[in-house]
Amino acid sequence: MSLMKDLTNGIYKENPVFKLALGMCPFLAVTTSVENALGMGAAATFVLIASNFLVSLFRNLIPSKVRIPCYIVIIATFVTLVDMVMHAYLPALHKSLGIFIPLIVVNCIILGRAEGFANRHPVLNSVADGIGMGIGFTMAMVVLATFRELLGNGTWLNMDVLGSAFQNQPLLIAILAPGAFILLSFIMGFFKILETRKGGCQ
Amino acid sequence: MIEMLKLGLVLMLVALIAAVALSLVNSRTAPLIEIQQELEKQNAMSEAAASLMPDDSLAFDSLSIDNLENPYASCDELLQVVKVFLPPDTSRIGYVFIAYGKGYSSTIQTMVATRMDGRVSGTIILNQQETPGLGANIVKPSRLIDHLIGMNGQECLLKKDGGTIDAMTGCTITSRTVVNSVRQGLEDMNEAGLFSDEIAVDEEHTEGGSE
Amino acid sequence: MNASAIMSMLLAAPSSGNQGFDLGRMMAIIIAAIFVNNFVLSRFLGICPFIGVSKQLDSAIGMGAAVIFVMTLATLGSWSVYNLLLVPMNLGYLKTIVFILIIASLVQLVEMILQKFSPSLYRALGIFLPLITTNCAILGVAVLNIDEKYSLGYSLVNAIAAGIGFTLALILMAGLRQRLELADVPPALRGKPMAFLIAGVMSIAFLGFAGLGG
């Protein structure tokens, strides 16, 4: 029961991006296309689950004074592992995601969940939390990437959606840096409205 | 003091385990990665050279500095020229080189095949991380790089810079980078005396016409 | 290896062997790092402190100064360790771990030294220092310098300029947000959404710098 709660927690109630405002840098940087968002989401989810698992497993062995450096080392190790394995076995995916993978290290969602959840919860719950947070992060990225790719390029997941007439004169701003900020602001505002509506009904 | 020592020890242990794990994985993946990159380069080279002559048995040979007196060929970041020939005949039918240029947000690598008269016969973008939907469209040949075909060093210029090539809409910087890096490569090769005009020109032109 | 050999190694560009010192190139790096590829508004690095510490002008200036300071030191440390230790030992793949450890320990060290020798500076910067470990702009600039194969001189210039760019964006943002306190913002956009909206508008302005400095 509580496992289920930990799993779904990250997807909506404590969505890392829209609610906790964590992991903004990779979130804004890779959402230029849905494909990148999915790839980044998969890589980050893997690192999140693995680091939550290890941190939770050794939570009683690591002295609390040096826990943050230890967590950072664990996270950086997994990121480098993902980088190397992907480069060797999935070169095409690595090519399109290459620059974003090292950025996972400084994704504050991962350190935040290690520090905020995994170091005081049992292994299974921590893994569930990792999965939930990872899905929540990926979904948030896909939402923003959908808007940016559709408006800025006229495609979705590289599929033609809005036709060639639009593609010749797309809303370029959406795919450029300002578009990420502005669209994120609107999405966050939308979530806020949803919340106040819900609060009003109760 | 003992407390500090213990903390340091724990940290060191964690770092050590991490380093050992990584070096193990690295020893497995590094050779694979190298093979893949070499293969990728080979494939791109064959693809570019196919524009010179569509023949599977084309062979490549890196030009060494000794027989060339080319100051540029020694620096692999700037210009690395590979000669193309059709065995058993070892006379060159053209060259392949990689042009490097700093674009809007990344270094763009363009693989270029040239004929013996110094005219471009084929181009492929090898590597770029430009803005998706904008500069990244450089990988679509029809947007820009197809227009380079048939040009020599002097003609390789954007309209804005006095040439005849249209830049891609909204990404002059990316377009300029590619065009200029290709021109730089062609000019360097020309200076090094790699191109021969006279007889080879006619042959290559008939070759081009039949494609 | 004697001292002069190390010095010449530090001053020359690593591996790629491209040109020595060049004022034009340095200006291009500075302009690019501050304006064209502003770390916050164009590269999306350091967003968390950018949104978190930009409510007050004073704290924005303090945070900016701390970031410039740590960024320069971290670049010095990471560049030296990478090019003098990791590359010769063929351990380049450990760079992410090593860099983040350098940054974390550097922040700790700076904090301790400041606390001991300059309490006034510590009071001014102290609260921002722990936040910096998780600022991806620091790791970003360290990795970027390695990827671009800059020499130590260029790396330091790039780091300082990137720090100035970060500070510039932060101070501009803080100034805008202070004014915004008095404005009538729609309830849905109050707080973070409005901050991101402003960041978007600032980012549009910074797009205008594209192409400056080659």
Side-chain angles (χ1 to χ4, degrees):
Chain A
M1 184 54 218
S2 107
L3 262 184
M4 217 37 218
K5 219 182 100 208
D6 288 331
L7 188 72
T8 53
N9 193 24
I11 296 176
Y12 179 76
K13 209 169 123 241
E14 279 186 29
N15 186 291
V17 179
F18 295 135
K19 297 293 173 59
L20 307 180
L22 287 173
M24 280 298 160
C25 306
F27 175 72
L28 292 169
V30 305
T31 45
T32 48
S33 75
V34 177
E35 196 184 2
N36 279 348
L38 285 173
M40 179 69 180
T45 306
F46 172 76
V47 176
L48 199 50
I49 295 169
S51 77
N52 261 8
F53 172 74
L54 271 195
V55 167
S56 169
L57 195 64
F58 295 118
R59 69 184 185 281
N60 297 324
L61 288 175
I62 297 175
S64 70
K65 272 187 182 153
V66 290
R67 67 181 192 283
I68 302 277
C70 288
Y71 297 163
I72 291 177
V73 171
I74 292 175
I75 295 166
T77 309
F78 276 114
V79 170
T80 316
L81 273 180
V82 171
D83 191 19
M84 292 193 299
V85 170
M86 210 186 241
H87 200 166
Y89 296 103
L90 302 163
L93 189 63
H94 184 270
K95 207 169 175 183
S96 66
L97 285 179
I99 37 167
F100 307 123
I101 294 172
L103 284 180
I104 301 176
V105 183
V106 280
N107 187 333
C108 22
I109 294 177
I110 297 167
L111 192 61
R113 289 328 279 179
E115 166 72 6
F117 192 94
N119 79 343
R120 44 195 139 89
H121 288 85
V123 174
L124 270 181
N125 296 57
S126 299
V127 171
D129 180 72
I131 298 173
M133 283 290 161
I135 294 175
F137 181 55
T138 312
M139 271 173 31
M141 281 198 295
V142 170
V143 169
L144 184 61
T146 300
F147 282 111
R148 290 184 72 188
E149 199 184 336
L150 262 182
L151 295 176
N153 206 22
T155 56
W156 192 80
L157 205 61
N158 294 335
M159 285 179 299
D160 224 326
V161 178
L162 295 179
S164 62
F166 184 83
Q167 273 182 25
N168 288 333
Q169 283 300 328
L171 256 172
L172 276 180
I173 189 93
I175 223 161
L176 294 173
F181 285 116
I182 293 170
L183 285 168
L184 172 63
S185 146
F186 289 159
I187 295 174
M188 280 176 126
F190 176 72
F191 270 87
K192 228 171 169 180
I193 292 175
L194 274 190
E195 231 160 72
T196 44
R197 284 263 167 88
K198 226 193 260 163
C201 288
Q202 275 165 359
Chain B
M1 195 59 215
I2 290 172
E3 176 69 11
M4 279 288 271
L5 218 64
K6 204 184 132 204
L7 293 182
L9 225 63
V10 170
L11 203 55
M12 221 148 86
L13 198 72
V14 172
L16 202 72
I17 296 172
V20 169
L22 281 184
S23 65
L24 278 179
V25 176
N26 184 61
S27 64
R28 279 198 72 102
T29 53
L32 273 170
I33 292 170
E34 210 161 290
I35 292 169
Q36 229 129 36
Q37 279 171 340
E38 192 50 41
L39 198 73
E40 206 175 298
K41 213 166 155 188
Q42 285 290 336
N43 284 342
M45 222 146 74
S46 314
E47 207 184 316
S51 63
L52 287 167
M53 192 180 283
D55 194 317
D56 284 340
S57 53
L58 282 180
F60 304 96
D61 194 5
S62 287
L63 290 178
S64 64
I65 324 142
D66 301 312
N67 58 23
L68 233 185
E69 301 126 35
N70 175 9
Y72 296 100
S74 63
C75 188
D76 61 322
E77 279 281 322
L78 282 176
L79 193 64
Q80 188 178 32
V81 182
V82 174
K83 80 169 185 182
V84 183
F85 59 97
L86 187 65
D89 187 6
T90 55
S91 64
R92 16 186 119 148
I93 61 166
Y95 303 98
V96 175
F97 68 93
I98 301 176
Y100 292 82
K102 187 95 186 66
Y104 184 69
S105 59
S106 63
T107 300
I108 307 173
Q109 299 178 16
T110 317
M111 176 83 79
V112 185
T114 66
R115 301 179 189 287
M116 285 308 294
D117 61 352
R119 289 183 185 275
V120 175
S121 72
T123 46
I124 297 168
I125 300 289
L126 277 188
N127 255 320
Q128 56 82 27
Q129 274 145 11
E130 300 290 287
T131 323
L134 265 180
N137 280 336
I138 193 83
V139 296
K140 297 180 185 165
S142 61
R143 294 289 181 94
L144 180 88
I145 53 175
D146 270 359
H147 303 307
L148 296 177
I149 292 172
M151 295 199 164
N152 64 22
Q154 284 120 32
E155 295 163 352
C156 224
L157 264 179
L158 285 186
K159 252 185 195 160
K160 291 183 183 173
D161 301 331
T164 56
I165 305 167
D166 277 313
M168 293 194 298
T169 336
C171 25
T172 313
I173 298 174
T174 305
S175 315
R176 185 175 282 149
T177 299
V178 172
V179 170
N180 286 0
S181 66
V182 171
R183 184 183 66 240
Q184 185 68 44
L186 291 173
E187 279 175 357
D188 289 349
M189 284 165 75
N190 195 26
E191 259 171 56
L194 289 178
F195 298 131
S196 58
D197 344 54
E198 302 120 47
I199 318 143
V201 178
D202 295 326
E203 280 174 22
E204 299 307 329
H205 273 310
T206 47
E207 191 68 48
S210 66
E211 275 168 30
Chain C
M1 196 188 303
N2 61 23
S4 68
I6 294 180
M7 270 318 284
S8 62
M9 228 177 117
L10 287 178
L11 291 172
S15 58
S16 78
N18 47 14
Q19 68 278 154
F21 186 77
D22 170 358
L23 194 68
R25 182 147 185 251
M26 199 176 87
M27 284 313 289
I29 290 177
I30 292 176
I31 290 174
I34 298 181
F35 297 112
V36 183
N37 287 323
N38 184 285
F39 258 52
V40 179
L41 297 172
S42 151
R43 283 195 199 271
F44 301 121
L45 290 168
I47 301 284
C48 301
F50 175 68
I51 297 295
V53 204
S54 61
K55 287 198 184 105
Q56 293 292 326
L57 203 54
D58 302 344
S59 49
I61 294 173
M63 181 69 178
V67 165
I68 297 178
F69 189 59
V70 175
M71 229 178 212
T72 315
L73 285 180
T75 300
L76 186 68
S78 60
W79 193 96
S80 312
V81 168
Y82 184 78
N83 284 297
L84 299 180
L85 212 67
L86 293 184
V87 171
M89 288 166 76
N90 240 339
L91 290 172
Y93 58 90
L94 287 180
K95 72 168 191 264
T96 316
I97 292 192
V98 172
F99 285 4
I100 199 112
L101 278 178
I102 289 175
I103 293 167
S105 43
L106 205 72
V107 170
Q108 207 81 43
L109 205 72
V110 169
E111 204 178 343
M112 287 192 316
I113 292 173
L114 276 187
Q115 202 170 7
K116 189 137 196 187
F117 295 105
S118 172
S120 60
L121 197 61
Y122 178 74
R123 270 198 299 280
L125 297 184
I127 40 167
F128 303 113
L129 285 170
L131 286 176
I132 288 180
T133 318
T134 52
N135 182 343
C136 44
I138 313 272
L139 184 70
V141 81
V143 172
L144 218 69
N145 282 330
I146 301 301
D147 286 350
E148 296 279 349
K149 298 192 176 121
Y150 285 149
S151 68
L152 183 61
Y154 284 139
S155 296
L156 289 176
V157 167
N158 189 30
I160 295 171
I164 293 174
F166 176 80
T167 311
L168 180 72
L170 197 64
I171 290 176
L172 286 176
M173 185 70 171
L176 286 170
R177 281 180 88 172
Q178 272 188 348
R179 297 248 169 145
L180 212 65
E181 299 272 297
L182 308 168
D184 185 20
V185 178
L189 291 180
R190 262 175 217 157
K192 284 206 179 86
M194 198 58 207
F196 279 113
L197 199 60
I198 296 177
V201 177
M202 280 167 68
S203 175
I204 296 179
F206 272 69
L207 268 188
F209 291 117
L212 254 189

